[in-house]
Amino acid sequence: MSIESSYDRWSAIYDTNRNRTRDLDAQVMRTRFGSSRFHRVLELGCGTGKNTGMLSEVARSVQAFDFSEGMLTQARTRVRSANVVFHRRDLSNIPWPVETASAELATFNLILEHIESPNPLFAEAARCLAPGGVLHVSELHPFRQYEGTQARFEDAEGNEVKVAAFTHHVSEFVEAGQRAGMRLVQLKEWWHKEDAGRPPRLLTLDFVK
Ligand SMILES: C[S@@+](CC[C@H](N)C(=O)[O-])C[C@H]1O[C@@H](n2cnc3c(N)ncnc32)[C@H](O)[C@@H]1O
């Protein structure tokens, strides 16, 4: 099954499934950006809008992209703020409909494991960012991928569905940002409160253009 169709199927239960990675990412996003202020934000792979509402509170405008109509339908229902525009788009299709050097924040949350070659997406995000703008990356930590964890859900019949995923090492993310002409300013690892004794669950990186 394609990644897009998998998310169409997952969309109805994405917000209610037990998912510690999703929950941790939401918490980290609020901590990292909840008190910030931006003019324009790009949310790259917005899913059901889990982070879109928070971003709409701290930005004058948000452009939120995703290729799954199912996920976008959930997001449009959940986030009705007038300053958010949702776009159905495969982000591998470059260039994105975004003016060059126009955004202060671009954020990838839990999407890059589904992208085989992230380099062109980093370059495109860098094109869209204004000088001094931030590219935020938040991904399932590769240490967890090495252990066999990947995006998955249980369908209505109780069958486990794994969504096609690619492993990217920490160095790949760092190099992708640097190749796109950005500077790594922060790298952090995060644990859910139920993760004691386990490898980190989430990796975040912030690059500045
Ligand atoms: C795990 S969900 C994360 C959604 C949201 N960012 C969050 O943190 O809850 C991954 C999302 O990436 C989207 N996605 C994956 N590959 C994509 C692509 N090539 N273009 C656009 N969206 C994509 C999926 O449709 C899905 O909504």
Side-chain angles (χ1 to χ4, degrees):
M1 195 191 310
S2 72
I3 294 168
E4 187 181 337
S5 310
S6 300
Y7 275 104
D8 282 341
R9 272 183 76 188
W10 195 354
S11 59
I13 50 169
Y14 181 84
D15 292 324
T16 49
N17 266 178
R18 177 171 163 77
N19 185 336
R20 281 167 286 192
T21 307
R22 173 203 63 206
D23 296 345
L24 181 60
D25 176 73
Q27 186 189 320
V28 168
M29 281 297 280
R30 199 161 270 287
T31 305
R32 177 71 183 82
F33 296 115
S35 329
S36 304
R37 289 294 173 265
F38 300 105
H39 284 277
R40 181 173 297 174
V41 169
L42 306 179
E43 191 185 8
L44 307 164
C46 61
T48 59
K50 178 197 80 195
N51 295 324
T52 316
M54 184 279 291
L55 291 171
S56 76
E57 289 165 16
V58 300
R60 199 170 282 176
S61 70
V62 178
Q63 280 180 274
F65 296 86
D66 205 286
F67 68 1
S68 159
E69 189 54 46
M71 297 296 269
L72 282 171
T73 298
Q74 300 289 330
R76 289 192 183 102
T77 305
R78 176 188 205 152
V79 181
R80 294 174 180 275
S81 318
N83 63 343
V84 177
V85 178
F86 290 104
H87 302 260
R88 181 166 185 215
R89 188 173 186 93
D90 183 342
L91 289 163
S92 301
N93 179 4
I94 287 168
W96 306 331
V98 178
E99 208 179 306
T100 298
S102 63
E104 291 171 311
L105 173 68
T107 182
F108 289 116
N109 297 82
L110 310 179
I111 166 177
L112 294 175
E113 75 171 295
H114 302 303
I115 304 289
E116 187 167 11
S117 309
N119 284 348
L121 276 69
F122 275 68
E124 181 62 0
R127 180 190 69 76
C128 298
L129 283 173
V134 172
L135 174 64
H136 180 74
V137 174
S138 174
E139 280 297 308
L140 177 67
H141 202 298
F143 294 169
R144 294 289 181 126
Q145 293 187 303
Y146 304 155
E147 291 183 335
T149 303
Q150 68 173 92
R152 68 182 77 196
F153 64 98
E154 215 172 85
D155 68 13
E157 289 78 45
N159 304 310
E160 185 181 74
V161 180
K162 289 185 179 176
V163 186
F166 305 92
T167 298
H168 299 301
H169 310 292
V170 175
S171 58
E172 279 182 75
F173 290 129
V174 172
E175 284 167 22
Q178 289 171 342
R179 247 190 238 182
M182 297 181 288
R183 190 164 42 91
L184 179 67
V185 291
Q186 190 183 83
L187 184 158
K188 283 190 170 232
E189 295 169 318
W190 306 84
W191 286 258
H192 187 275
K193 59 181 186 306
E194 294 168 24
D195 285 340
R198 300 288 323 281
R201 178 177 292 275
L202 211 60
L203 170 72
T204 62
L205 305 101
D206 283 353
F207 296 91
V208 170
K209 180 174 170 185

